Amino acid sequence: MALQPTIVEDRSFGRALKVQLGVLGALMMRDLHTRYGRRNVGFIWLFVEPALLGVFVAVMRVLRERIVPGGLNIIGFAVIGYVVFYAFRSIVSRAPSAAEQNEPLLWHARVTLEDVMIARTLLETGAVTMATIVFLIGIGIYFDDWPTSWVQMGIGIIMMALLGHGVALIVLALTQFGVSVVERIVHPLLYISIVFTGVFYMVWWMPYQFQQITLLLPIIHVFEFIREGQFGPGQPYHYDLGYVWIWIIVLNVYGGFALRRAKPHLEV
């Protein structure tokens, strides 16, 4: 009697990685379709939205004041600052609804809340990166003011997204106490935080005693790092990347544990 060949399941790391990337890709496409529809070029709004807000902020800044300390390009300063902050704000502000909006998908063994959050972070980061590149090229062509280091600015955007991701995990975990309650708290705090995050100012513009206080916030270090990549060494910058990465690791590790404990109250 001939033996039937044994089917060996592929459990290699490469196979697992391929499956995981497929899950993230599917979640990103679903999120795009849910937010912007399936017809025409609705997904383009993913890039247009932060771009329009950045232009609006730049126009308001120009109408209010013609120059900024250090002789920096006011349009480039305002636009890039707000567009980069948009990544952080969007990642965090959309966190409370992550479980509720993706509840049907959580029945699938391969889809987890962590996957949902990673997909959203990748989507927002990609959109902001594209909008930033378009603006930098436009500013460079019109004003002949090109970034000193594209790579440094890209690393800064990634760090901003990772900070936002860590905070978003904690926010999602807190929704076990009520989604509406968390949303009512998070959204106003995000709008208020724009005043303190370094979007519209640099550390050296402030008195020394205030500089030490503002540098307690890791997001300000990221903005200083990004602006060095944008404007070059002609300005004094204040940042500590080690400090930022400590915050990134702590927020994401703590957020991961908090979300794991909260899962029984968030998933079906």
Side-chain angles (χ1 to χ4, degrees):
M1 180 178 179
L3 296 176
Q4 295 294 326
T6 302
I7 299 176
V8 180
E9 184 178 356
D10 185 1
R11 297 179 179 272
S12 65
F13 173 78
R15 171 63 179 170
L17 179 62
K18 183 179 180 180
V19 171
Q20 187 65 31
L21 291 177
V23 170
L24 292 177
L27 288 172
M28 291 170 68
M29 291 303 299
R30 181 183 184 274
D31 202 18
L32 273 175
H33 292 155
T34 301
R35 292 169 62 183
Y36 303 106
R38 297 173 180 270
R39 296 182 179 179
N40 300 325
V41 289
F43 68 91
I44 295 296
W45 283 103
L46 179 69
F47 313 106
V48 173
E49 188 175 353
L52 287 177
L53 291 172
V55 170
F56 175 77
V57 169
V59 170
M60 293 297 100
R61 190 65 184 265
V62 170
L63 292 176
R64 181 181 175 184
E65 51 188 313
R66 296 295 179 181
I67 60 174
V68 294
L72 303 177
N73 184 304
I74 187 172
I75 295 179
F77 186 90
V79 169
I80 301 305
Y82 186 81
V83 169
V84 172
F85 178 75
Y86 181 90
F88 179 89
R89 194 199 76 175
S90 186
I91 291 169
V92 176
S93 65
R94 300 186 65 237
S97 63
E100 188 176 42
Q101 292 180 352
N102 294 275
E103 183 176 344
L105 297 178
L106 299 177
W107 288 99
H108 298 279
R110 289 179 175 174
V111 179
T112 65
L113 281 173
E114 288 85 356
D115 294 329
V116 171
M117 297 302 293
I118 292 172
R120 288 187 168 191
T121 297
L122 290 174
L123 200 59
E124 300 296 342
T125 306
V128 165
T129 300
M130 290 299 298
T132 301
I133 291 173
V134 170
F135 274 123
L136 289 174
I137 292 175
I139 293 169
I141 294 174
Y142 190 81
F143 296 101
D144 193 25
D145 187 5
W146 297 92
T148 301
S149 175
W150 292 82
V151 173
Q152 183 168 330
M153 296 189 70
I155 294 173
I157 292 174
I158 292 173
M159 290 193 296
M160 185 71 73
L162 290 174
L163 282 173
H165 185 78
V167 175
L169 291 176
I170 297 172
V171 169
L172 178 56
L174 290 174
T175 58
Q176 64 180 302
F177 303 110
V179 175
S180 59
V181 174
V182 174
E183 286 182 332
R184 290 191 181 99
I185 295 174
V186 169
H187 289 291
L189 285 178
L190 284 172
Y191 282 107
I192 294 172
S193 68
I194 197 172
V195 179
F196 307 101
T197 52
V199 176
F200 301 126
Y201 65 87
M202 294 184 65
V203 174
W204 72 271
W205 298 358
M206 307 177 68
Y208 178 77
Q209 59 271 28
F210 290 108
Q211 292 182 14
Q212 304 309 304
I213 297 174
T214 57
L215 286 173
L216 294 174
L217 298 175
I219 195 170
I220 291 183
H221 293 253
V222 178
F223 270 118
E224 293 283 303
F225 181 69
I226 289 174
R227 284 180 173 133
E228 183 181 47
Q230 182 181 4
F231 297 112
Q235 308 292 325
Y237 302 98
H238 300 76
Y239 62 82
D240 183 345
L241 296 186
Y243 181 72
V244 176
W245 282 106
I246 288 174
W247 270 94
I248 288 173
I249 293 171
V250 170
L251 286 173
N252 281 274
V253 170
Y254 177 77
F257 281 118
L259 182 57
R260 178 172 296 183
R261 295 195 62 178
K263 273 186 179 182
H265 308 284
L266 300 177
E267 295 183 359
V268 292

